[in-house]
Amino acid sequence: MYRNYRHTSSSMRSDGRICMDPLKTHPCPMAILLVFANRRDAQCDAFVRAAELGKYVCHFGQTTDEALRLFQEHQHHVVIVDSRQKRNTDADNVARQIRAVVGSEYSVLMAIRPICVSDKDDSPMLPLLRAGFNRQFVENTDVGVCLSELQCLEHGEVRAQLKLRSAQSLVVAVEHSNDAIEITNENHEIQYVNPTFEKLFGYSGDELLGKNFQDISKSDKMKNDVIQAIDDHLQSGKPWHGSDHIRRKTGENCAHRFCIYPVFTNAGKICHFVTIRNSPLENVNPVDQTNGCITPSAGAPETFAKRPRLAEATSSKVHSMTIEAPITKAISMISSLQETCPAMIVQSLDRVLEVLRSSELYSPYFTQQVRDDKMTSELVGGLMKMGDDLWQQKKVSSIKRLSCSSETPYLIRSHSQMSGLASSSEVQEVLDAEEQWDFNIVQLEKLTAKRPLVHLAMRTFQRFEVMHFLQVDEVLMCAWLQMIETNYHGNNPYHNSTHAADVMHAASYFLTCDIIKSTFDQSDAVACLLAAVVHDLDHPGKTNSYLVNSSNELAILYNDLAVLESHHVSLAYSLTLKNGNVNIFANLSRDSYRSLRQQIVDMVLATEMTKHFEHLNRFVSVINQPSVDETKDTSSSSSSSCQRLQEATARLATAENRTLIKRMLIKCADVSNPARPLKLCVEWAARIADEYCQQTDDEKSQGLPVVMPMFDRKTCNVPKSQISFMDFFIHDMFEAWSKFCDLPEMLKHISDNYKYWKEREVSCANNDQPQPIQNGKN
């Protein structure tokens, strides 16, 4: 009935199939890719003729790009690269490019070495191994020698790789099986468990590897003599099947059916045990061994004790927000419900919370308070709507289109135009305070003739070793920054290079927080700084809604979705990559470049206001609340507290959680003006009001829907607009961010600035005449 599974050698049947009992692969001709700069090369010709004699499939690539394309299309078993003369073929680059392709680990890469290299000298092989080669061949144009080499590869390394490639399908099946599967060695030490096993018993694979699962999960209902009987039965080479009780991580017993299969080596010695456990059973008593089987007997259902309160699983009410998403309410209710549920229900609810916290379910719900406040509803709606729905039904005979490049053309300066930065003593004096939160960016703007970005960024990039990470010199970095700053619109009151410099400064300040430094690596820090620099590149001084309503070419290009944010990051890469004199990414590896680009794009897109509450709620639910729960139990020992802190740090350092943190970092940096000292806060408030009023003027003159009617030059109430903005965007976000990063001074500034605007609002109400916003105040 059951098969004893044994490791088999890579034997080939008479029909050509490779046997890996019970899996058998069908034969296919060995595919070879030759990468030579010259098709008529004698060595290349020898391998071509050898491939014909061996009836192998052979392709030829002359360049790296051509070789990569062919490999991606055919996934060759063997890739032979000419490494004799680097000026003809960059073998290392070819190998790295191919190894970056998914599935290339199952291919053999062989480098052709020149005959002049002594066979006794092994030193040349180490660079080849590092590049991705796993075999070398000293040049020999004898067709027989080449054929022998190919045949050795076919019956040796290629066949072994084919077995591994075929086994991958079995791994996929095990990973997605609905049964819990564990694999142990001959001493019952766990080597592997699948995801279903982890969910069923509450342990992670890392917790179990190398440990005896019987010692960890042995139930009181499992007698020692029964365990010994099972082991004796397995040692006889027969599988065991029946029912079992396992103690979950939460402490309760779980009854289920299971089968254990011994796996043998060719010598007949047991090397592994494979255990397959089915769904839990409702009514199973302690096992009885009868004729090599375990059979269930009648009994009362198991009762589950209530699980004790655990900080990790029972988070208190999620951070209270003025605008709270329904999903955060659901998480809070489920967390409270766990306090009174049986342990099995608690475990199920834990999985529910895990799903909820990782899904895109964080859209905000606007309370009646928001809808009743006209100023607030117009402000929130204007910032978060993508155009006016009514505008879709409106016919306008002529629309003046806005071109984002009409005011300042895209410009890439040559190196001859970019001499070193000449900074006066006054500029240097201002930059000396660059590490402080109260850094005066407006003063730097005046001293640098509205070009503060390049000066501040060069100082900050040196501090964070950005040039070292990107492997570029300061001249190239300076050229890139000047090119970026040139493509910011200097005549915008708010969205100009000074704002970019201000956001980058805030980002650099956040990066110095202890929890950020312990969570991020240098790639994260560099991505944050670069994203801040380019996050509003070529901003036209108008909102996304304006571009959509005016049928702007960018809105059409990006289908009305994240129009400006998509344009900012797209243009930044377009300008950077098309000129080698400013390409700061040129020296990065393919993987490093792709990773850095993914981070930068994600952060810039996160600055779109329509996703504000989604990002905030996810940060609070996934990052903030679990972090607080993991560290709030003060009754335990210092050693356990330290362990919990280390576990919390490790949890934050996952790629998914670092992404959430980086999104919140750049969002807080982007709207940090209310958290600045009062003088800067007032200055930025006047600038944004001026820019919004200019948009209202344009909307009225062009017959477009007025997105934010509160920003009218004659009636605009700046204090009221700032209070509304702080109430519904700033308070909750910076409270959550400060709770994570420990930034009490920012909360103090926000509180002081809020009081100031409240006093100004009362003053305006008493005067009954709001002060008009002057055009071009900045």
Side-chain angles (χ1 to χ4, degrees), residues 383-650:
L383 291 176
M384 298 189 66
K385 283 196 305 184
M386 295 300 294
D388 193 313
D389 294 337
L390 296 177
W391 179 244
Q392 304 303 325
Q393 306 170 8
K394 208 172 182 184
K395 296 183 178 180
V396 179
S397 58
S398 62
I399 298 176
K400 180 180 178 181
R401 294 174 179 258
L402 168 72
S403 172
C404 284
S405 59
S406 61
E407 298 177 1
T408 305
Y410 301 155
L411 177 62
I412 300 181
R413 299 177 184 270
S414 64
H415 275 295
S416 62
Q417 294 172 297
M418 296 181 180
S419 56
L421 278 179
S423 300
S424 66
S425 59
E426 291 178 306
V427 171
Q428 292 299 326
E429 184 178 351
V430 173
L431 289 175
D432 287 341
E434 170 254 344
E435 298 183 29
Q436 306 301 318
W437 180 248
D438 58 357
F439 174 74
N440 195 334
I441 188 65
V442 175
Q443 184 180 1
L444 182 63
E445 176 192 59
K446 294 177 181 178
L447 294 174
T448 58
K450 294 187 177 183
R451 284 292 182 265
L453 179 59
V454 64
H455 293 269
L456 179 60
M458 286 300 294
R459 174 70 70 94
T460 304
F461 284 7
Q462 290 171 354
R463 179 157 60 96
F464 284 89
E465 298 184 346
V466 174
M467 281 76 80
H468 175 75
F469 177 84
L470 297 174
Q471 305 174 49
V472 298
D473 56 30
E474 293 186 2
V475 174
L476 190 146
M477 179 56 72
C478 181
W480 181 77
L481 287 169
Q482 288 179 317
M483 179 267 295
I484 292 295
E485 186 157 35
T486 298
N487 284 284
Y488 273 95
H489 295 199
N491 54 348
N492 284 345
Y494 184 89
H495 288 100
N496 48 41
S497 67
T498 304
H499 168 65
D502 184 60
V503 174
M504 188 211 63
H505 171 263
S508 69
Y509 187 85
F510 295 151
L511 289 172
T512 62
C513 297
D514 291 339
I515 193 168
I516 297 292
K517 290 192 292 185
S518 64
T519 304
F520 283 5
D521 56 24
Q522 191 178 13
S523 174
D524 297 314
V526 171
C528 289
L529 295 174
L530 295 180
V533 167
V534 305
H535 84 282
D536 272 334
L537 185 64
D538 192 42
H539 197 293
K542 302 294 187 291
T543 64
N544 279 327
S545 296
Y546 179 96
L547 299 184
V548 173
N549 291 337
S550 62
S551 299
N552 179 261
E553 57 188 13
L554 291 179
I556 295 173
L557 175 64
Y558 296 110
N559 297 315
D560 299 345
L561 300 175
V563 177
L564 284 173
E565 293 73 21
S566 300
H567 174 63
H568 300 324
V569 69
S570 175
L571 178 62
Y573 272 92
S574 177
L575 295 176
T576 301
L577 298 179
K578 71 180 182 181
N579 189 325
N581 294 332
V582 294
N583 188 355
I584 59 175
F585 307 117
N587 296 325
L588 294 178
S589 66
R590 176 185 291 267
D591 290 342
S592 297
Y593 169 77
R594 291 174 64 182
S595 173
L596 189 64
R597 171 174 164 77
Q598 182 181 16
Q599 296 178 67
I600 293 173
V601 171
D602 183 83
M603 279 187 282
V604 174
L605 294 181
T607 61
E608 184 201 7
M609 292 303 293
T610 61
K611 298 293 184 69
H612 170 80
F613 293 103
E614 176 183 331
H615 295 315
L616 175 57
N617 283 311
R618 290 197 66 187
F619 178 81
V620 171
S621 300
V622 180
I623 303 297
N624 250 17
Q625 192 61 47
S627 299
V628 173
D629 289 341
E630 288 163 349
T631 57
K632 69 181 180 182
D633 187 2
T634 58
S635 60
S636 57
S637 63
S638 59
S639 59
S640 61
S641 298
C642 181
Q643 181 180 359
R644 284 199 308 274
L645 183 60
Q646 292 175 348
E647 292 174 353
T649 303

Side-chain angles (χ1 to χ4, degrees), residues 315 318-319 321 323-332 334-335 350-366 384 608-626 651 656-657 660 663-664 667 729:
S315 59
V318 180
H319 181 72
M321 301 183 187
I323 303 179
E324 184 178 1
I327 190 62
T328 58
K329 292 183 179 180
I331 290 175
S332 179
I334 293 173
S335 298
D350 279 339
R351 292 197 290 270
V352 172
L353 289 175
E354 180 182 352
V355 172
L356 293 178
R357 285 171 171 161
S358 63
S359 302
E360 301 293 335
L361 302 173
Y362 294 85
S363 299
Y365 172 77
F366 294 98
M384 298 189 66
E608 184 201 7
M609 292 303 293
T610 61
K611 298 293 184 69
H612 170 80
F613 293 103
E614 176 183 331
H615 295 315
L616 175 57
N617 283 311
R618 290 197 66 187
F619 178 81
V620 171
S621 300
V622 180
I623 303 297
N624 250 17
Q625 192 61 47
R651 182 184 62 81
E656 181 179 354
N657 287 343
L660 296 180
R663 290 174 182 171
M664 189 55 52
K667 283 181 61 61
F729 290 103

